[in-house]
Amino acid sequence: MKILILTSSYPLPDDKKSVPTGVVQYFARELIKQGHEVRVILNSKKYLLPLYFLPSFAKKKIATITEGTYLSYKTRKNTFFVDSGVSVNRLPISKIYPKGKFADRNIVRQKNKILEILKSDNYCPDVVIGHWINPQLPIMNYLKNDLKSRYALIIHGDGYLLAEKNNEYSELIKSVDVIGCRSESASEDIQKILNINEKPFVCSSGVPDLYIEQSKIDVKKFSEKKDLRIVFVGKLIKRKNVDKIIESLKLAFPDKQFIFDIIGEG
């Protein structure tokens, strides 16, 4: 099966700082192992040029506010790369500032660029998968006029966009064949927001079950251990919910002293 993935996050050799997550890469590689022909279009954000010359601390601050978008000049450049059998095209798409919407004219241009690449490679996808609503959903909506494929949208943590009143996303998503979410709670939220009968499927991410099963972790030793030390490593942004971890630890060990180390930027 030919699978086209549209995403705003995919690590490339020349750019790793601006990528908030490598989850799409993991899934794409697994699809290749299953025998599918996978192509990825990386819709990297291209902001106003002066933003890229800000000092590092300012870029990190912006990354915290925008939950993971680090301003890297290299994301402004077109590139092609083959990653473990996955063909990846990075196509920058212009945007005025982080967190904002893309102008419709830029969405149309991006759609045309994608079609040119597919046509030149004689690649007609059976399935088109979008990861994150903005800008994948509007691009997919335009592609439907030219590609008679099945369309799926995976909502990562941007479901709030659908809840905004009088916005086009809640209308555009009606043209998607299948909706997926990253957790059961997100799936339930999206079902309520869209007022649909069928709950979106769950596309889980995180540590594979097999890894946990093979590790044979003895959870009892944590409650019996006198000096308990727990470490969190990750980006210090809102969607990582570090505050929830602290609350959960207090509930899990109400009568035990423990040290909770938090390591990360943000």
Side-chain angles (χ1 to χ4, degrees):
M1 182 182 295
K2 292 183 178 180
I3 302 174
L4 175 65
I5 301 176
L6 309 179
T7 182
S8 299
S9 178
Y10 199 100
L12 291 174
D14 68 339
D15 172 46
K16 294 181 180 178
K17 281 190 174 182
S18 69
V19 179
T21 173
V23 66
V24 177
Q25 182 186 56
Y26 306 146
F27 274 98
R29 287 177 174 180
E30 290 302 313
L31 289 170
I32 287 289
K33 291 178 184 178
Q34 293 176 15
H36 301 293
E37 188 178 344
V38 183
R39 293 206 63 141
V40 171
I41 298 294
L42 173 57
N43 296 305
S44 64
K45 305 173 186 70
K46 184 179 179 181
Y47 301 114
L48 294 173
L49 188 60
L51 289 175
Y52 295 91
F53 296 97
L54 292 172
S56 182
F57 75 88
K59 290 182 179 181
K60 290 179 181 178
K61 185 65 176 178
I62 292 174
T64 300
I65 296 172
T66 59
E67 298 193 355
T69 304
Y70 186 88
L71 295 169
S72 172
Y73 184 78
K74 291 176 181 177
T75 61
R76 295 172 56 89
K77 300 179 180 179
N78 286 42
T79 191
F80 173 77
F81 178 71
V82 178
D83 172 49
S84 298
V86 182
S87 298
V88 185
N89 285 89
R90 181 173 65 202
L91 296 179
I93 175 171
S94 297
K95 190 178 187 181
I96 297 176
Y97 55 85
K99 277 291 186 183
K101 292 182 179 180
F102 293 86
D104 190 62
R105 63 179 179 276
N106 293 334
I107 294 292
V108 173
R109 287 174 187 156
Q110 194 76 349
K111 180 265 298 187
N112 290 334
K113 291 178 184 177
I114 294 171
L115 289 176
E116 286 176 11
I117 289 173
L118 299 182
K119 184 178 180 180
S120 64
D121 292 343
N122 194 28
Y123 185 91
C124 184
D126 300 296
V127 176
V128 178
I129 302 174
H131 171 248
W132 290 354
I133 292 174
N134 189 29
Q136 277 63 241
L137 181 55
I139 291 175
M140 289 166 65
N141 184 62
Y142 278 113
L143 284 175
K144 289 200 73 157
N145 296 324
D146 298 278
L147 299 177
K148 306 307 178 184
S149 312
R150 293 278 290 172
Y151 289 79
L153 178 68
I154 310 301
I155 300 172
H156 187 279
D158 48 359
Y160 68 91
L161 292 173
L162 299 171
E164 294 180 1
K165 293 182 179 179
N166 302 318
N167 77 88
E168 73 273 21
Y169 295 134
S170 56
E171 286 299 315
L172 293 180
I173 202 167
K174 294 178 182 179
S175 65
V176 175
D177 298 302
V178 182
I179 303 171
C181 296
R182 297 291 298 282
S183 66
E184 283 289 347
S185 60
S187 177
E188 292 171 0
D189 290 342
I190 295 301
Q191 184 181 27
K192 292 177 183 177
I193 291 172
L194 297 177
N195 192 26
I196 52 179
N197 295 324
E198 188 175 349
K199 191 167 68 172
F201 76 90
V202 176
C203 183
S204 301
S205 65
V207 181
D209 293 340
L210 185 61
Y211 177 82
I212 298 297
E213 293 168 2
Q214 292 177 342
S215 298
K216 297 181 180 179
I217 299 173
D218 182 10
V219 294
K220 290 183 179 180
K221 69 179 181 181
F222 295 112
S223 58
E224 297 170 355
K225 193 175 177 63
K226 292 183 179 179
D227 300 318
L228 188 61
R229 189 160 196 162
I230 301 156
V231 179
F232 166 86
V233 180
K235 290 182 180 294
L236 302 183
I237 54 180
K238 186 177 179 180
R239 62 180 168 84
K240 294 300 181 181
N241 295 310
V242 179
D243 56 328
K244 300 298 182 184
I245 298 176
I246 296 173
E247 294 174 10
S248 300
L249 289 173
K250 289 166 64 178
L251 292 173
F253 307 108
D255 304 316
K256 183 181 288 292
Q257 292 284 339
F258 62 85
I259 298 173
F260 182 41
D261 294 314
I262 301 173
I263 302 173
E265 291 186 346

